[in-house]
Amino acid sequence: MKSYHKHLKSLLFFVSICMASAKAQDAATEQKITDLIGKMTIEEKVNMLHASSSFTSGGVPRLGIPELQMSDGPHGVRVEQGRGWNVVEGVNDAGTYLPTGNALAATWNPALGYQFGSVLGSEANARGKDVILGPGINIIRTPLNGRNFEYLSEDPYLISKMAVGTIKGIQDQGVSACLKHYAANNQETNRMTIDVNMSERALREIYLPGFKAAVMEGGVNTVMGAYNKFRGQWASHNYYLLNTILKREWAFKGPVISDWAATHNTIEAIYNGLDIEMGTEFSLKPFKGYNTFYLGDTVTTLVKEGKVKESIIDDKVRRILRTMFKTGMMDKSRKAGSFATKEHQQTALKIAEEAIVLLKNEAKILPLSAKKIKTIAVIGLNAFRPNAYGGGSSQIKATYEITPLEGIKNIAGDKIKVVYAQGYNVERGAKADAKLIAAAVAAAKKADVVIYVGGWVHGYDYKVWSDNAYDAEDTDKPDMNFPFGQDEVIKAVLAAKPNAIMVLTGGGPIDMTQWIDKAKTIVQFWYPGMEGGNALANILFGKINPSGKLPMSFPKKLEDSAPHKLGNYPGFKLVQNYTEDIYVGYRYFDTYKVAPQFAFGHGLSYTTFNYADLKVMAGADKKATATLTLKNTGKVAGAEVVQLYVKEQNPKIDRPEKELKSFKKVFLQPGESQQITFDLDATAFSYYDEIQAKWVMDAGKFDILVGSSSKDIRQTATVAF
Ligand code: BGC
């Protein structure tokens, strides 16, 4: 006991020394910044507040202050555009293409978030970038949002855990993450004009927690303001979002960067918290130079005329310089990054393997046994199309991209014959082509195993913006139906081969109601990055046991989802009221008793898990500890995401049926069991009280629901406070 105390004492002493030295370092940096600002002219200061090219903001060469080099983001470093907007040919910009945001979130593995961030940060660094424009963490509100594939989840807790890991991973490589799009940018339809309104409670409980965690736990260096308006004021210079919440409540110390062409007004930009204006060349017609931006020469004039205090400008410059000092830009101390390495590709593979979700495996057709198969028919153009270039600003030139067809061929080797049938054409408005269907059916009939790969698409040529794309920036999907007449193809294939395996690409749910009762096996593939095809093949053939879980609910029909049922998506006269309030995703499905097609948190495994002995104990300070035992009761090793939801029994105000408050991904050998502990604090039991304007936890009883998905609760206990 004595030696324990001695150790604890020396540890505390060490921690206090570290904290004191960090404080001293901060103070020294702040002093250096003050000295630099003291030497700058107003013109030089203002030059730092706006773009100096498509992806740089201004520096002050005289004082050794470099330009800030930025790049998209968020699942790889964007194809090089130099100082303009055209793709620059002949540079080494073919790099690692990671699984996109919702694939990463489907791993439910924050450690992979960190590894994802490390790859991104390291490659951005190697490409000479200081800021990588990501992660994008807006709530997945409607299945139609064209950018859902970049975002993470419908649940703020899952977003928080994955975003914090990603940001730390990026920033530990010496570059800055740029958290986007702050805030309420949940659709692409009218994104540049729409005015979003929601209750304070919805804002605090659903739309902000991910951003808050990214700032306060992730320590993100920069934040991007969104395109839309929020409660009548542009998000990129919104006083409440930026000054009141981000900078004051959350004590954010870095710069706010506007989305590209999201700035509209000099005075608001000056006073409402914007620090760097980017991309306004798109909205100024004619464009006469970067100094004509809203935060350009006009600001210099206003300061010179004494109409704006210089200290307000100094604060903006200070925030930019802080980021520069923090990321080794001022003393050039940043360690070297690495680009397009084998290790990075292996990380992309590992994430993809944990991201793919086994939605249905009714007849246990999966995993396939290679020994029993002579011919595989792969059907569907999505098995053949690459995706890296697609989607808009997140486009990547990948070193390579293993498509599903290639992945299946890789694993089949020369013992299994793999035939391919296109099945459908990828063209807006294309209907089912009878000839292609006939060829697909013929191939299916001759094969032992049929794998259909279809669903949504990205555009795929980096020179062509969003060509035929559904999962893409600047556009929402028109509906939730399979494009290109695929329902007809699938029905024909299933009629010919009832055991056909369905593999679905895309950034979210798709209406499967026409054939789901007939399909025995369904796999959600997302956009899983450059190694996606190999990851898929490893899962289909049982080399990898699937462990992905849906980070969003899959409704049966679009009409079943909350913003379409209760909200006014896509908005009325450019006003978008989030009238479904806090009832987003499973909070809606569970509370309103609507059955989803596949529930939030759902995902099957080739093994089985037993949940037992859930116990919950209330502790001091409104804390509680839950323990339970998880056992792998099947024959193969596997991972389970154990999800803990909280339900207040008799709440004073309406609360969702249940809310995710903790989860753990646990890897177990066959027969192995493990005791799992969840530590909960008051945040797990609280709601946002609009009258008191704060989080409140009422005394009462709370059910602790632990399970394998939001619908598959295996153990329940109650705790009282
Ligand atoms: C997108 C951002 C992106 C920026 C720069 C905007 O259109 O909304 O996510 O980072 O362009 O490419």
Side-chain angles (χ1 to χ4, degrees):
M1 202 59 188
K2 238 185 178 170
S3 86
Y4 168 79
H5 279 299
K6 220 171 118 190
H7 272 114
L8 192 68
K9 240 178 149 179
S10 48
L11 184 72
L12 288 176
F13 182 66
F14 178 71
V15 170
S16 65
I17 297 270
C18 288
M19 280 169 64
S21 95
K23 252 192 173 167
Q25 224 175 1
D26 279 356
T29 307
E30 292 297 316
Q31 190 53 52
K32 281 186 200 162
I33 293 173
T34 306
D35 294 347
L36 269 174
I37 291 176
K39 291 179 191 152
M40 290 166 76
T41 64
I42 184 64
E43 285 82 1
E44 286 170 333
K45 291 175 187 174
V46 169
N47 196 46
M48 291 182 69
L49 309 188
H50 60 77
S52 53
S53 78
S54 55
F55 283 95
T56 58
S57 56
V60 186
R62 181 178 74 85
L63 298 171
I65 302 172
E67 289 181 310
L68 207 50
Q69 307 277 341
M70 313 175 198
S71 173
D72 288 296
H75 41 265
V77 188
R78 189 176 182 176
V79 54
E80 189 57 52
Q81 291 168 301
R83 297 184 73 81
W85 282 99
N86 295 329
V87 172
V88 178
E89 302 289 353
V91 288
N92 179 20
D93 60 348
T96 301
Y97 163 37
L98 291 155
T100 73
N102 54 25
L104 174 65
T107 69
W108 290 61
N109 186 345
L112 285 183
Y114 184 85
Q115 290 180 32
F116 177 106
S118 305
V119 171
L120 196 55
S122 174
E123 300 217 346
N125 188 1
R127 287 266 305 273
K129 312 298 180 190
D130 307 307
V131 179
I132 186 89
L133 303 172
I137 65 158
N138 293 85
I139 286 282
I140 294 180
R141 174 176 177 254
T142 160
L144 299 188
N145 181 11
R147 285 187 100 169
N148 281 346
F149 75 96
E150 287 185 65
Y151 298 150
L152 303 177
S153 174
E154 68 188 24
D155 181 78
Y157 184 83
L158 179 57
I159 291 176
S160 302
K161 293 293 150 197
M162 298 309 295
V164 167
T166 306
I167 289 161
K168 287 189 170 162
I170 293 171
Q171 296 191 167
D172 282 353
Q173 296 299 318
V175 303
S176 292
C178 183
L179 185 69
K180 66 190 190 183
H181 307 88
Y182 184 70
N185 183 183
N186 308 96
Q187 68 188 57
E188 292 297 288
T189 299
N190 299 328
R191 67 173 176 170
M192 315 278 280
T193 42
I194 202 152
D195 181 10
V196 176
N197 292 292
M198 66 175 84
S199 72
E200 190 63 14
R201 185 174 174 208
L203 181 70
R204 299 287 179 159
E205 289 191 13
I206 307 291
Y207 294 91
L208 288 190
F211 288 99
K212 182 179 180 185
V215 171
M216 300 190 70
E217 294 167 44
V220 74
N221 286 349
T222 75
V223 172
M224 186 188 293
Y227 278 127
N228 49 284
K229 284 183 185 169
F230 178 75
R231 295 185 186 154
Q233 195 170 54
W234 296 106
S236 279
H237 32 84
N238 186 292
Y239 190 91
Y240 186 58
L241 290 176
L242 300 178
N243 283 345
T244 308
I245 297 179
L246 178 68
K247 292 184 174 177
R248 233 167 275 149
E249 280 184 33
W250 303 344
F252 175 65
K253 294 278 182 288
V256 172
I257 303 171
S258 74
D259 201 341
W260 270 236
T263 311
H264 301 266
N265 180 302
T266 295
I267 294 298
E268 285 191 4
I270 291 174
Y271 287 111
N272 294 359
L274 181 64
D275 302 301
I276 302 178
E277 176 189 1
M278 295 299 294
T280 312
E281 62 264 36
F282 287 117
S283 55
L284 292 175
K285 302 229 160 56
F287 173 54
K288 291 189 178 154
Y290 291 101
N291 58 327
T292 67
F293 272 29
Y294 294 98
L295 285 182
D297 289 349
T298 314
V299 179
T300 310
T301 308
L302 287 170
V303 172
K304 282 189 172 164
E305 288 174 356
K307 292 182 179 142
V308 167
K309 279 194 197 150
E310 193 156 349
S311 58
I312 294 173
I313 309 307
D314 290 353
D315 176 67
K316 297 179 194 296
V317 173
R318 180 175 291 278
R319 287 170 178 276
I320 301 168
L321 286 173
R322 246 184 224 135
T323 297
M324 290 185 166
F325 274 101
K326 210 170 159 191
T327 53
M329 290 174 69
M330 297 304 292
D331 57 3
K332 303 198 170 50
S333 63
R334 191 184 298 164
K335 66 179 180 186
S338 50
F339 191 62
T341 64
K342 275 246 142 39
E343 291 76 30
H344 291 178
Q345 292 152 14
Q346 284 307 302
T347 302
L349 174 64
K350 175 102 185 71
I351 296 168
E353 286 172 342
E354 287 198 32
I356 292 170
V357 182
L358 181 58
L359 292 175
K360 192 172 178 187
N361 194 19
E362 227 172 59
K364 301 265 183 305
I365 291 163
L366 293 181
L368 298 170
S369 164
K371 279 184 219 141
K372 294 185 191 150
I373 305 169
K374 289 201 186 74
T375 311
I376 298 177
V378 177
I379 296 170
L381 192 49
N382 284 23
F384 186 79
R385 282 168 58 98
N387 290 304
Y389 292 139
S393 61
S394 61
Q395 59 182 195
I396 287 154
K397 202 192 275 180
T399 324
Y400 61 83
E401 181 177 344
I402 308 291
T403 63
L405 182 59
E406 286 166 347
I408 291 164
K409 280 187 174 165
N410 287 345
I411 213 162
D414 43 22
K415 294 218 178 72
I416 302 175
K417 190 172 160 202
V418 178
V419 295
Y420 167 69
Q422 182 178 324
Y424 52 88
N425 287 309
V426 168
E427 236 169 72
R428 281 255 169 195
K431 296 259 167 344
D433 178 319
K435 272 195 195 140
L436 290 178
I437 293 185
V441 165
K445 280 188 175 156
K446 277 190 229 143
D448 304 310
V449 169
V450 175
I451 303 169
Y452 178 90
V453 184
W456 302 114
V457 295
H458 275 331
Y460 72 82
D461 184 339
Y462 68 91
K463 291 172 199 150
V464 183
W465 185 263
S466 300
D467 169 35
N468 281 323
Y470 285 84
D471 281 309
E473 189 174 334
D474 209 14
T475 168
D476 284 346
K477 293 166 189 150
D479 51 44
M480 217 178 80
N481 302 332
F482 269 84
F484 324 126
Q486 289 182 73
D487 278 319
E488 302 313 314
V489 189
I490 295 173
K491 282 191 269 185
V493 168
L494 281 171
K497 203 80 181 175
N499 281 356
I501 297 159
M502 300 292 131
V503 175
L504 305 177
T505 52
I510 193 158
D511 186 329
M512 310 175 205
T513 48
Q514 290 197 36
W515 46 262
I516 188 151
D517 294 341
K518 301 222 165 62
K520 296 173 185 154
T521 318
I522 306 175
V523 176
Q524 180 63 31
F525 185 56
W526 314 111
Y527 294 110
M530 68 199 302
E531 282 284 343
N534 285 335
L536 175 68
N538 287 344
I539 283 180
L540 295 179
F541 282 83
K543 277 194 169 181
I544 294 288
N545 189 353
S547 64
K549 299 272 188 179
L550 290 182
M552 67 195 75
S553 310
F554 277 20
K556 287 185 177 162
K557 299 241 151 257
L558 180 64
E559 308 87 89
D560 288 347
S561 80
H564 300 267
K565 194 90 179 177
L566 308 176
N568 76 337
Y569 174 89
F572 176 68
K573 290 195 176 158
L574 302 185
V575 173
Q576 175 61 269
N577 294 318
Y578 288 12
T579 37
E580 74 282 7
D581 205 47
I582 56 168
Y583 295 99
V584 175
Y586 68 92
R587 286 169 169 78
Y588 166 74
F589 286 102
D590 288 353
T591 312
Y592 285 75
K593 311 255 177 293
V594 178
Q597 190 72 69
F598 293 106
F600 173 79
H602 170 74
L604 303 171
S605 165
Y606 296 150
T607 191
T608 47
F609 296 97
N610 185 56
Y611 288 61
D613 302 330
L614 174 66
K615 291 192 185 68
V616 189
M617 292 212 334
D621 299 332
K622 299 182 174 175
K623 287 187 177 152
T625 306
T627 55
L628 82 148
T629 307
L630 182 76
K631 183 173 184 187
N632 180 346
T633 45
K635 293 200 176 68
V636 287
E640 171 71 320
V641 178
V642 181
Q643 301 159 41
L644 186 149
Y645 297 83
V646 173
K647 173 189 179 166
E648 183 165 3
Q649 283 192 359
N650 296 300
K652 281 191 189 159
I653 60 167
D654 284 349
R655 295 193 70 176
E657 179 64 22
K658 63 170 97 68
E659 295 184 272
L660 182 74
K661 292 299 170 184
S662 198
F663 65 86
K664 275 202 176 130
K665 189 161 193 174
V666 185
F667 293 80
L668 294 176
Q669 294 300 320
E672 192 187 354
S673 50
Q674 193 173 307
Q675 199 184 53
I676 305 164
T677 304
F678 294 99
D679 291 318
L680 304 170
D681 61 21
T683 55
F685 306 102
S686 305
Y687 60 88
Y688 190 81
D689 183 323
E690 293 186 332
I691 312 273
Q692 299 185 60
K694 63 173 194 190
W695 287 87
V696 168
M697 176 176 164
D698 290 330
K701 285 187 178 165
F702 297 84
D703 290 338
I704 305 296
L705 314 163
V706 182
S708 181
S709 86
S710 58
K711 272 260 168 290
D712 184 6
I713 299 302
R714 306 282 184 88
Q715 295 266 295
T716 307
T718 301
V719 62
F721 293 97

